[in-house]
Amino acid sequence: MQLVAFGGDERMRGALLAAEKAGWEALHVACEADVPPEIGQADAVLLPWPHSFRDERLVTAEPNRGLGRERVLSLLPPCRLILYGGGVQAEEMPQAEMQLNPQKDETFLRRNAQLTAEGALCAAMRRMPRALLGSTCMVTGFGRIGQELAVRLCAMGAFVIVCARNEEQMRLSHHMGAHPVPLRNVASAAAQANVIFNTVPAHVLDEEALSRVGEKAMIIELASAPYGEDLELAARLGVEVIVEGGLPGRYAPLDAGEALFDVARRYLKDGKKGESMHG
């Protein structure tokens, strides 16, 4: 089996190591100097995830060395499967029988959420003067990451408040051992928390909520922009916000890369020809 990987950060190294451990041959093309005279065919091609291209250049650990977008697309070999991220569309890669953005794979997303949750706890523990054991922790949003956070925090002996949008999420959080609160009551919940983990990419922590955050409390921000709060407003109110986006790639890049390779291996094994997934 042959894997050809283009660019990427430490996650890509994790994917390549996982491929080699599985007995695959692996080629990594990060810059022009890495381009062989002929790439040939491959079983799978892996482009950087979550973003394959930025500003028309391949995402790499050294941004200035990345190949141009059109150059990369011209180098893609015939293959059974291409995994890709943002900055490119499936239709631009006809070399592959299947094109898949891992964002569409539930198994991968759950694994990514688990790594994010673990990294978030590590980030909080590095900065907190006291243990999570016995602390009051608030989780805003109860999707994959919120669920993984809640189950880990409960297991660590924290008192966990989950601010959720609907009754089903509130019932699930209660079943996990957390204390569910409707998202509309986030301000009163914020007043009780030693640390807030936000997973919602919208300003659910409004001025009232931020004004009630304790003096020694902090927010671990896990969502993408525009984040769960107005960062400038939080700064004016003296609320400490630690933005921790992209945690799997920073906290556990080898595991995150292995999860990407696992997506490719599963789809090839299942033989999902013709089930191209766009994202």
Side-chain angles (χ1 to χ4, degrees), residues 9-22:
D9 54 16
E10 280 294 292
R11 275 173 285 205
M12 193 64 83
R13 187 165 74 90
L16 290 162
L17 288 172
E20 291 170 355
K21 184 177 180 180

Side-chain angles (χ1 to χ4, degrees), residues 11-275:
R11 275 173 285 205
M12 193 64 83
R13 187 165 74 90
L16 290 162
L17 288 172
E20 291 170 355
K21 184 177 180 180
W24 288 39
E25 294 181 11
L27 171 66
H28 188 205
V29 179
C31 63
E32 193 64 43
D34 297 327
V35 179
E38 183 179 357
I39 293 180
Q41 293 189 338
D43 293 284
V45 171
L46 183 55
L47 294 176
W49 189 88
H51 302 285
S52 295
F53 299 95
R54 282 198 183 97
D55 300 324
E56 296 299 303
R57 300 198 72 82
L58 182 70
V59 172
T60 63
E62 300 178 64
N64 295 329
R65 299 186 67 205
L67 295 167
R69 185 173 180 277
E70 293 305 317
R71 174 64 167 152
V72 173
L73 294 177
S74 72
L75 290 170
L76 297 178
C79 61
R80 291 178 59 198
L81 173 68
I82 287 180
L83 298 186
Y84 66 97
V88 63
Q89 299 297 319
E91 295 83 355
E92 299 177 271
M93 299 173 289
Q95 300 93 326
E97 296 176 16
M98 297 181 287
Q99 303 93 355
L100 173 69
N101 187 328
Q103 189 68 30
K104 301 292 185 180
D105 183 79
E106 181 60 31
T107 299
F108 170 76
L109 293 176
R110 181 59 66 176
R111 179 61 172 163
N112 212 53
Q114 292 167 345
L115 295 174
T116 299
E118 186 172 323
L121 296 182
C122 181
M125 289 187 289
R126 283 201 307 265
R127 294 172 173 86
M128 290 178 65
R130 305 192 68 172
L132 286 170
L133 172 67
S135 296
T136 298
C137 300
M138 185 173 92
V139 178
T140 49
F142 206 58
R144 298 180 191 88
I145 296 173
Q147 292 168 23
E148 296 294 343
L149 277 168
V151 72
R152 285 162 174 74
L153 287 166
C154 288
M156 295 176 75
F159 179 75
V160 183
I161 302 171
V162 169
C163 291
R165 291 188 181 277
N166 57 58
E167 289 294 330
E168 182 180 353
Q169 290 180 335
M170 292 176 68
R171 284 194 296 270
L172 178 58
S173 67
H174 178 73
H175 179 72
M176 289 181 176
H179 179 71
V181 172
L183 197 56
R184 63 179 178 272
N185 296 336
V186 67
S188 59
Q192 305 174 50
N194 301 114
V195 58
I196 298 169
F197 296 90
N198 178 67
T199 69
V200 183
H203 290 175
V204 292
L205 294 163
D206 57 15
E207 184 169 2
E208 180 186 2
L210 291 173
S211 67
R212 298 185 67 177
V213 173
E215 182 180 349
K216 295 182 180 180
M218 71 179 74
I219 299 173
I220 304 293
E221 180 56 70
L222 303 173
S224 56
Y227 309 118
E229 63 288 308
D230 183 321
L231 296 181
E232 292 184 1
L233 175 60
R236 289 200 301 272
L237 294 173
V239 178
E240 183 181 12
V241 180
I242 298 99
V243 178
E244 291 283 3
L247 269 176
R250 296 187 293 110
Y251 170 73
L254 298 186
D255 297 279
E258 184 176 322
L260 283 170
F261 173 68
D262 179 66
V263 176
R265 184 162 51 177
R266 283 189 290 106
Y267 271 74
L268 290 174
K269 181 180 179 180
D270 292 345
K272 298 185 177 182
K273 184 176 180 180
E275 296 185 15

